[in-house]
Amino acid sequence: MKKREEHLLVVSHGPDGGGLLEWVGMTRPAARAAGLADRFFEVSLLGLVSSGFLAVAGSGALDLPTTVLTSAGLLLRAAHVLRLVRFDVSSRAVALLTLAYAGFFAVDYLVISRNLLGATVHLICFLAVVKILTAKTSRDFVYVKIIAFLELLVASILSTSLTFFIFLVLFLLFAVATFASYEIRRATFAPQTVARGGLQRFHLRLATLSLVIAAGILSLTAGMFFLLPRTAHAAFVRLAPQRYHLPGFSNEVRLGEIGEILQQNTSVMHVRIVGKTPSFPLRWRGAVLDSFDGKRWYNPPAAVRPLRVDEGRLILATDEQRRRAGARVSYEIQLEPVTSDALFLAGVPEVLWINSPAVVRTKTGAYRLGYERSSGLRYAASSYIDPDLRAGSEGEWPPVASSVGPYLALPRLDARVRSLTGKIVAGSGSDEGKARSIALHLLRSYAYSTELPAIEAADPVSDFLFVRKQGHCEYFAASMAVMLRVAGIPSRVVTGFQGGVFNPISGWYVVRASDAHSWVEAWINGRGWTTYDPTPGGRAPARSGLRERLSLYMDAADMFWQDWVVGYDRERQLRLAMQMGDSGRGISARWLDRARMAALAGRDQVFGFVRRFGILLVGSAVIAWLLWIVVPRLSRRVWTVVRVRRARRGNAEASDATILYTRMLDLLRRRGFDKPPWLTPGEFADQLPASPTAELVLRITAAYNGLRFGGKLEAAPQIMTLLDELERTV
């Protein structure tokens, strides 16, 4: 290196090589630009892959091991980019790892995921981690970009939530930043490099450019994007696995399954009450199970009765039921994509509005679609809320001997269960009294707990009643149903949801997996099926604080997304257009009426307003206009002064050369020398008549070229000295 201040030797992997000596012979500004572009490119590329991965993870389709391992790989790459750790994975290790995963892919497809899409998602995550950790050459970087795009494509197939839009915006931003910085980086490493601008706030300027371009792309493709979640979902619905498994709401539930979902806080249902909201929490009845084998409640195969939906409406109740006096509640339900065909309804449903050709009514009085859906479901209903907690009409199931059997059948029981039941119901009298006694005993003698048994018991009911003496709602309901049958009272177990959190932002109740609940229905002569809930109060209290408020805002935004993006069909479009048309006509009519009244009776008020506030409005407009004109010029003037002072101190950059040269032109303009725009600085200096001023201009022009195009920062103080001398001659 001939000149230490003009050349720099830097050890870097460069754009195509690993660990080579690069940037030899570069000027200091060029070397610094190369370093900044290289660092910005690495951060952008990592952000591109990470945003694609987060879009997939936000769909809920990734299992925990894949999420953890991929996140660990991305964090390791982030530590490498920040120069916190150093590592170099050999090509041999990558090849062996890839061959090993090729064998694992077959196992994943046949045993673990059991579907091609799930195994493919795991493969893409594996490739993303391997490539982002080992990328060194330009070809590697191209592969990483392709993998990031595949991540986003998979997310568009799997996700219909608002999180996809958020991560799409991030992906676009990082994509623009990645491609822009890569081109800058590639040009910087080219054999011929010209530094045409300063490096101050390089990251900020490049990030701002990326943000502006990404916003433009997002705006131009908004129409296409709003179609993407629906069309992708419709096209690949048979390929995508179910996004959320919700056990306990089918025709079978093992004791403990509902306890598993109580540990989760995933939103599974949204409810909007139309009209007056009941003063007590509603129970959303899903599945009703009548048979018990000691470990599971289930419904044996039986004929079902399909009910035809006529023009989106189905009458569920008899005329007698609909004439009953009492409170009724109307509500709308938005179900998330879950693996269940159950319809969750409150009280005694009388009318159902649903977009389905038919609905199945089971022998236990529950309602189902008859098929497992692969997407969300929206329906509305009107239900009768019985003050006596009756679950159905008295005529639903006549209490005759041929019908009682399934609701009294029991497996072999622990003798202690029969003994305990006898003690509880002794002296209770009627069936209603016996049921109340059993419910009160469970409420007072046992504790609520969501903790699951470490080892599955051979007899879960006996283990709950005599060993653990604590558990969640499922054990309370199963125990009461068993003891009712021991006492000769027909009973069945109901699974569903209870309560929910009201979101004041969206106006919907948010029902989460942790709101899952089980209770009992017992047949009481003269009353019919009657609801009993033996579970004591011990459910998690309502959350509060900043985190809960943020979750409510996100939930409201997601509801808007589901309504106006995913569920925005032609019917909703026409409805919105009609509402806007009606609103527009109404507003126009009201405006014309008010304008006519103002013209007839309010002209004095208009003139009075002008006289009172006219001067203030005109003055404000003048001040605003002055600020619009003066402030930009003043700011440019101040910024010029600051940069000139910085150049005088020797802290100039290449971009400061233009400001110094402009100052020279201003000084020459006072002497009558005006530079034509078509002349270069050298040509302009040569055309000046011979004089001391022309000599100064030649010297300033030479120093200007050295600073701007040669990166000679020491030329800035020289230019300032020459400018001071030129100013004295002027």
Side-chain angles (χ1 to χ4, degrees), residues 444-458:
R444 295 171 179 174
S445 304
Y446 297 86
Y448 181 87
S449 173
T450 57
E451 182 179 355
L452 299 176
I455 302 176
E456 183 180 0

Side-chain angles (χ1 to χ4, degrees), residues 56 117 120-121 124 149-159:
V56 178
L117 185 61
T120 303
V121 171
I124 292 175
F149 175 75
L150 291 176
E151 288 178 329
L152 189 70
L153 181 62
V154 168
S156 69
I157 297 173
L158 299 176
S159 178

Side-chain angles (χ1 to χ4, degrees), residues 34 167 321 361 398 424 453 457 593 603:
F167 292 126
Q321 166 64 33
R361 178 186 174 96
I424 294 173
D593 291 339
R603 286 177 295 182

